[in-house]
Amino acid sequence: MTQATNIHWHEGDLTRAERWERLGTRGGTVWFTGLSASGKSTIASALEQELVHRGRVAYRLDGDNIRHGLNRNLGFSAEDRAENIRRIGEVAKLFADAGAIAICSFISPYARDRDAVRKLHADGGLSFIEVFADTPIDVCERRDPKGLYKKARAGQLKGFTGIDDPYEAPRAAELVLKPGDEGVEACVGRVLRVLAGAGVIDRA
Ligand code: ADP
């Protein structure tokens, strides 16, 4: 791939503050991380529904869906996983800048990749809320809604996070959920409280 040169950031005539003010919105990114079947997508989807019912522009970016389109040329090597997360991070940032709440649901097993997305948002003055779906692997494996753990255990799926690929748990997530013990509604309520605390929404 050749690197483009002579490209410059074009500011546009509208500031973010004016955009958000006129649209009556505030953007931000909620980033769910955790093992496969930990509950990320289920909670993210319920959160998205709740926010949209409140009249907020919230949009879910989800691992499998993004791999069908934007990132369909990427696999699961460490390098491809990093590029996958980098692209999602950039897209989430654009959504957040536009005033939407980007709800990202990705295993995102490597701390450095998640931290890079956090930095991207911090540098851009945007809220980034990392939510760790901390479900024990035995619970995930028992749930196994897509049969992936079974395949990984049988050696039919190589490099599966938690089995033969590492998962680096966040050390300083804004929120740690226990979807093995807490119900979906309780988890959504806790995310809403953090969003309210960050000023992205008015009330939990
Ligand atoms: P992930 O996106 O992390 O791979 P999914 O949300 O696709 O996980 O799958 C999680 C599975 O666990 C679903 O079948 C869901 O119904 C079930 N589940 C049970 N309890 C919970 C909970 N408290 N939170 C989220 N999911 C739960």
Side-chain angles (χ1 to χ4, degrees):
M1 214 178 357
T2 49
Q3 194 90 31
T5 51
N6 295 312
I7 52 169
H8 303 278
W9 186 261
H10 188 263
E11 273 305 335
D13 297 319
L14 195 60
T15 64
R16 178 190 298 158
E18 188 185 358
R19 178 192 308 279
W20 287 11
E21 166 87 33
R22 292 275 180 154
L23 296 175
T25 192
R26 275 159 289 157
T29 293
V30 181
W31 188 280
F32 287 92
T33 173
L35 294 170
S36 179
S38 59
K40 301 179 299 295
S41 297
T42 305
I43 300 162
S45 173
L47 174 68
E48 179 187 41
Q49 192 176 36
E50 172 63 25
L51 289 168
V52 169
H53 286 179
R54 291 176 179 206
R56 295 299 305 265
V57 178
Y59 195 81
R60 197 160 46 88
L61 302 168
D62 187 276
D64 281 6
N65 298 356
I66 295 288
R67 282 182 179 276
H68 276 111
L70 178 66
N71 290 353
R72 70 173 165 226
N73 60 332
L74 299 177
F76 291 90
S77 65
E79 195 185 25
D80 277 9
R81 284 183 193 262
E83 177 61 10
N84 183 45
I85 297 307
R86 188 191 70 78
R87 288 187 201 168
I88 308 303
E90 293 283 359
V91 172
K93 184 186 170 188
L94 293 173
F95 270 78
D97 184 42
I101 300 170
I103 303 173
C104 304
S105 165
F106 297 88
I107 297 174
S108 45
Y110 304 132
R112 65 168 182 278
D113 298 344
R114 296 190 305 264
D115 288 346
V117 181
R118 174 185 292 280
K119 182 168 187 307
L120 194 64
H121 282 72
D123 291 350
L126 290 162
S127 291
F128 178 79
I129 294 161
E130 188 176 11
V131 181
F132 177 26
D134 187 12
T135 308
I137 190 160
D138 53 302
V139 175
C140 297
E141 198 163 351
R142 235 176 295 132
R143 288 178 178 168
D144 206 11
K146 299 174 205 153
L148 297 175
Y149 284 93
K150 200 163 170 233
K151 273 193 189 163
R153 289 285 185 203
Q156 294 160 357
L157 192 57
K158 297 281 178 211
F160 192 67
T161 300
I163 306 290
D164 58 350
D165 218 52
Y167 178 76
E168 298 168 2
R171 295 219 184 116
E174 277 67 18
L175 182 61
V176 179
L177 297 175
K178 299 280 184 186
D181 303 322
E182 306 171 293
V184 177
E185 230 175 278
C187 291
V188 170
R190 293 185 62 205
V191 179
L192 290 171
R193 282 199 285 283
V194 176
L195 277 170
V200 179
I201 59 175
D202 292 329
R203 58 174 176 86

